[in-house]
Amino acid sequence: MATRSWIVPGPSQHDVEHVASLRVQLVAGAVTVVGHDAEHVHVEVTEVAGNPLELDVEGDRLTIGYPFLGWDGWVKRLRSYRSADTARLTVHVPRGTAVAVATAVADATVSDLTEDTSLITASAHLRVTGCQGATSLKSASGAVDVLGHDGPVRVSTAAGRTTLSGELPRVEVTSVAGAVSVSTTAPTSMVDLATVSGAMRVNLPAGAGVSLTARGVTGPVRLDGVDHRAGGLSATTVEERSEAGICFLTTRTVAGSLDVTRMPAAVTDAPA
């Protein structure tokens, strides 16, 4: 398998041909990955401080990061890694490129892609906009935004808020204390939310049916403004069928609230 590599000590630009997948590994700074119509990858590095980056091509996969860390070990050590290494870059890729990004405190934005994406961070802001395919995001404390998405979404976070919108046929969110907001325009969807204390809000298309099972201890369970919370430790169930489609919604929480509203879902910018 052919391999090529470049050491990047400072600002520079690079074009790479025949790339089907991209991996980016950063400590601090920021990375933006954008889909474009060209068949090659264009890398624009605007800042490098500390250790130099390396661009490594193995087969049809391009990896940008720090080779001394190792990809697998880096993902496992994200929460405890401390370094002053900083890089800022923008990567333009063919829209069908699969993308994986892992950072410690570097913000990551991915937009306008049609393949699967995976983003992991310790405490940075993760943002996916206008993409298709399955997307998976993991964060300890950073905010997570998936906006204007077409495809399934899976999120795992501890304290950061989560905002999801688009044509979302399948949503899975696990959060400890962060607020969760889901707006889906999919006529039929499956939404599974689990949180300890974060507030949960789900917006559905007008007239959509709801098959709801909510398990909680103290939080209210509101559907179109009406609290359906069951007494004691019993699960709250609501079954309303509709020819306009249905959302199968399951939630689990200790003290978090749930608000479900059937209204035209709009894609909005997440808070900064």
Side-chain angles (χ1 to χ4, degrees):
M1 183 177 294
T3 61
R4 293 170 289 159
S5 63
W6 300 265
I7 299 299
V8 182
S12 56
Q13 298 189 25
H14 307 268
D15 289 330
V16 186
E17 303 282 352
H18 310 301
V19 172
S21 65
L22 169 71
R23 298 193 308 187
V24 180
Q25 169 203 69
L26 294 183
V27 180
V31 56
T32 299
V33 181
V34 184
H36 67 174
D37 294 328
E39 296 182 356
H40 67 281
V41 172
H42 180 67
V43 182
E44 300 177 3
V45 180
T46 57
E47 178 185 356
V48 177
N51 284 296
L53 288 174
E54 180 178 86
L55 274 63
D56 179 83
V57 179
E58 183 176 3
D60 62 0
R61 184 177 67 195
L62 169 62
T63 299
I64 304 173
Y66 302 97
F68 59 87
L69 292 173
W71 179 265
D72 294 332
W74 167 246
V75 171
K76 294 177 181 177
R77 293 186 287 128
L78 273 176
R79 295 188 181 184
S80 60
Y81 190 80
R82 297 291 182 269
S83 171
D85 294 336
T86 300
R88 298 183 185 277
L89 60 149
T90 299
V91 187
H92 301 266
V93 301
R95 301 185 200 283
T97 304
V99 171
V101 178
T103 82
V105 296
D107 292 341
T109 299
V110 176
S111 62
D112 206 13
L113 300 180
T114 59
E115 255 296 348
D116 296 348
T117 58
S118 172
L119 287 78
I120 302 175
T121 188
S123 59
H125 184 182
L126 301 180
R127 185 180 178 94
V128 177
T129 64
C131 290
Q132 301 176 30
T135 186
S136 172
L137 305 97
K138 295 182 180 181
S139 171
S141 60
V144 171
D145 295 308
V146 180
L147 308 177
H149 191 72
D150 184 356
V153 178
R154 174 177 293 180
V155 177
S156 176
T157 182
R161 62 162 178 80
T162 298
T163 303
L164 313 177
S165 70
E167 182 106 3
L168 310 175
R170 175 77 183 182
V171 173
E172 297 178 57
V173 178
T174 302
S175 176
V176 177
V180 178
S181 175
V182 178
S183 296
T184 177
T185 60
T188 299
S189 58
M190 299 182 67
V191 179
D192 190 328
L193 310 179
T195 179
V196 175
S197 59
M200 297 172 286
R201 178 176 294 277
V202 179
N203 294 327
L204 304 175
V210 177
S211 179
L212 167 66
T213 301
R215 294 178 174 85
V217 177
T218 61
V221 179
R222 289 183 286 262
L223 174 61
D224 294 330
V226 178
D227 194 347
H228 292 261
R229 176 176 40 181
L233 299 177
S234 301
T236 298
T237 59
V238 178
E239 193 77 16
E240 294 187 8
R241 298 284 173 166
S242 170
E243 294 182 357
I246 188 169
C247 175
F248 296 94
L249 174 59
T250 302
T251 66
R252 297 175 301 282
T253 186
V254 176
S257 61
L258 172 64
D259 284 275
V260 182
T261 303
R262 286 172 287 195
M263 58 186 297
V267 176
T268 58
D269 289 335

